[in-house]
Amino acid sequence: MLEKTTRINFLYDFYQSLLTPKQRSYMEMYFIEDFSLGEISETKQVSRQAIYDNIRRTEEMLEEYEDKLMLYQNFLERQKLIQDLEIELQEQPNPSIRTIVERLKELE
Amino acid sequence: MLEKTTRINFLYDFYQSLLTPKQRSYMEMYFIEDFSLGEISETKQVSRQAIYDNIRRTEEMLEEYEDKLMLYQNFLERQKLIQDLEIELQEQPNPSIRTIVERLKELE
């Protein structure tokens, strides 16, 4: 559950600009400000079921965008490469560094 | 004109997965295979004006996606940073390398 929430938070970071203001509002209340569905329902004066459906649909959309654009996956790969690069940089320069930089370039 | 075509080609590379099959087909014929509007019209049996409108609208959509997600802009910045990194790697490791890697990490 925690892992899913973390993933959704990352996907939200990457793709929030493609969502509607209403979708962003519900997502931020639910995933970032940690309101319950009941609390969002009271605040927004919208049925709990409508909030639930909107958030579920938004989650699906975020996964669809990730299937198409892979921003989160590329981000994770880039972070891993940069971590490798930093380990190498603690040593002297060598061909491994060049290999890592080449892979970094191929990412996009 | 050449510069615009290059930019559209890059935007198309980044965002083609968000377009419809018809949009992709027209864009590839026009920008990649270098067909004229008249030739696409003949091949597809669709009016030249409809092809033109579809391609113009697709270009606008690509620019809207870029405004929101900035994949091309981030790509250019990352390429520049990697280029800097490669120059540094021709020398001995030093604090400049660390600075570049830090900026690379902040990009996303």
Side-chain angles (χ1 to χ4, degrees), chain B residues 4-75:
Chain B
K4 189 183 173 196
T5 303
T6 305
R7 177 177 170 84
I8 290 295
N9 276 320
F10 268 107
L11 295 184
Y12 181 75
D13 272 355
F14 284 112
Y15 302 112
Q16 60 177 284
S17 64
L18 300 178
L19 303 177
T20 65
K22 187 164 83 176
Q23 286 177 313
R24 280 202 293 271
S25 170
Y26 292 170
M27 291 295 281
E28 295 201 358
M29 290 180 83
Y30 190 65
F31 285 104
I32 300 172
E33 299 168 39
D34 200 33
F35 280 80
S36 69
L37 291 173
E39 288 166 337
I40 300 173
S41 169
E42 268 186 43
T43 309
K44 296 287 187 182
Q45 293 291 299
V46 176
S47 77
R48 191 180 178 287
Q49 185 64 41
I51 308 275
Y52 176 84
D53 291 343
N54 186 293
I55 290 176
R56 280 291 160 276
R57 175 70 194 120
T58 305
E59 285 185 302
E60 284 170 16
M61 283 180 65
L62 292 176
E63 292 289 356
E64 284 163 15
Y65 283 129
E66 176 63 8
D67 283 345
K68 290 176 176 171
L69 295 172
M70 298 188 299
L71 297 189
Y72 180 46
Q73 184 186 316
N74 286 347
F75 165 77

Side-chain angles (χ1 to χ4, degrees), chain A residues 64-80:
Chain A
E64 285 164 14
Y65 283 129
E66 176 64 7
D67 283 345
K68 290 176 175 172
L69 296 171
M70 298 190 298
L71 298 188
Y72 180 45
Q73 184 187 313
N74 286 347
F75 165 77
L76 291 178
E77 287 180 28
R78 202 177 295 123
Q79 291 298 101
K80 175 69 176 65

Side-chain angles (χ1 to χ4, degrees), chain A residues 14 17-18 65 68-69 71 75 78 82 85-86 89 91-93 97-98 101-102 104-105 108, chain B residues 14 17-18 65 68-69 71 75 78 82 85-86 89 91-93 97-98 101-102 104-105 108:
Chain A
F14 284 112
S17 64
L18 301 177
Y65 283 129
K68 290 176 175 172
L69 296 171
L71 298 188
F75 165 77
R78 202 177 295 123
I82 292 168
L85 189 56
E86 286 177 319
L89 286 172
E91 317 289 330
Q92 290 304 306
I97 296 185
R98 184 149 299 276
V101 175
E102 287 304 315
L104 190 58
K105 286 169 69 174
E108 303 255 358
Chain B
F14 284 112
S17 64
L18 300 178
Y65 283 129
K68 290 176 176 171
L69 295 172
L71 297 189
F75 165 77
R78 202 177 295 122
I82 291 167
L85 189 57
E86 285 178 319
L89 286 172
E91 315 292 330
Q92 290 304 306
I97 295 185
R98 183 149 301 275
V101 174
E102 287 305 314
L104 189 60
K105 286 169 70 174
E108 303 257 355

Side-chain angles (χ1 to χ4, degrees), chain A residues 33-99:
Chain A
E33 299 169 37
D34 199 33
F35 280 80
S36 69
L37 291 173
E39 288 167 337
I40 301 173
S41 169
E42 269 187 42
T43 307
K44 295 288 187 181
Q45 294 291 298
V46 175
S47 77
R48 191 180 177 289
Q49 184 64 41
I51 307 277
Y52 176 84
D53 291 342
N54 187 292
I55 290 175
R56 280 291 158 276
R57 176 69 193 119
T58 305
E59 285 185 300
E60 284 170 16
M61 283 179 65
L62 292 175
E63 292 289 355
E64 285 164 14
Y65 283 129
E66 176 64 7
D67 283 345
K68 290 176 175 172
L69 296 171
M70 298 190 298
L71 298 188
Y72 180 45
Q73 184 187 313
N74 286 347
F75 165 77
L76 291 178
E77 287 180 28
R78 202 177 295 123
Q79 291 298 101
K80 175 69 176 65
L81 289 170
I82 292 168
Q83 200 175 36
D84 292 348
L85 189 56
E86 286 177 319
I87 291 165
E88 292 293 335
L89 286 172
Q90 290 166 4
E91 317 289 330
Q92 290 304 306
N94 62 43
S96 319
I97 296 185
R98 184 149 299 276
T99 305

